[in-house]
Amino acid sequence: MMKSIRIFVSSVSVVAAGFLAASCGRSGGDAVGVARTVVGTATLERDGKTADLAAGAGLSPSDVIVTGADGVVVLGLGGNEVEAEIQPNSRFSIRAYNEASREMFLDGGNVWILVGKIARKSDAPIRLRTASSVVGV
């Protein structure tokens, strides 16, 4: 029986840890997920525009989620195969999420990532990059 992998990532260090979760989906051909929970201040940057992020918002490749000092956002990506909790004062982006590449970037702050056994339905690795490290599953 395959177990889930739980990872905590900081823009400074990578530490294995437990996780507080979420999930994702969006209408449209380029949809890769959804913001399941939004607490406090959080914005979505898309196509050069910034707007407040609300629970239920769909996510696309190249979207950037920014949390304020009181903000926490829980995402689900790829039909709930990957769950992420973006912590306060963080900047997180979805670089690519498709059959060939599943890549996210943490530009600052902290994020919890949960990768379940369902993620193995694709051969594409799941990568979380930071300015100083790469985590691959």
Side-chain angles (χ1 to χ4, degrees), residues 37-44 50-54 65-68 70-73:
T37 304
V38 178
V39 176
T41 305
T43 58
L44 175 66
T50 301
D52 289 340
L53 182 61
I65 295 103
V66 179
T67 55
D70 64 341
V72 174
V73 176

Side-chain angles (χ1 to χ4, degrees), residues 23-28 31-36 56-60 75-80:
S23 68
C24 278
R26 174 188 170 173
S27 60
V32 296
V34 69
R36 295 281 309 241
L59 303 170
S60 297
L75 308 176
L77 300 169
N80 298 326

Side-chain angles (χ1 to χ4, degrees), residues 2 12 25 46 49 59 66 70 82-84 87 90 110 112 129:
M2 186 179 292
V12 179
R46 179 183 291 157
K49 298 176 184 165
L59 303 170
V66 179
D70 64 341
V82 174
E83 298 176 335
Q87 297 296 300
S90 296
N110 303 296
W112 291 94
R129 297 181 183 274

Side-chain angles (χ1 to χ4, degrees), residues 43-108:
T43 58
L44 175 66
E45 296 176 5
R46 179 183 291 157
D47 300 327
K49 298 176 184 165
T50 301
D52 289 340
L53 182 61
L59 303 170
S60 297
S62 78
D63 283 353
V64 178
I65 295 103
V66 179
T67 55
D70 64 341
V72 174
V73 176
V74 180
L75 308 176
L77 300 169
N80 298 326
E81 70 180 3
V82 174
E83 298 176 335
E85 181 179 318
I86 305 165
Q87 297 296 300
N89 295 317
S90 296
R91 185 175 178 85
F92 179 87
S93 61
I94 302 164
R95 295 283 174 91
Y97 210 95
N98 54 52
E99 289 299 314
S101 177
R102 296 180 289 184
E103 186 171 316
M104 297 151 282
F105 186 76
L106 181 63
D107 191 32

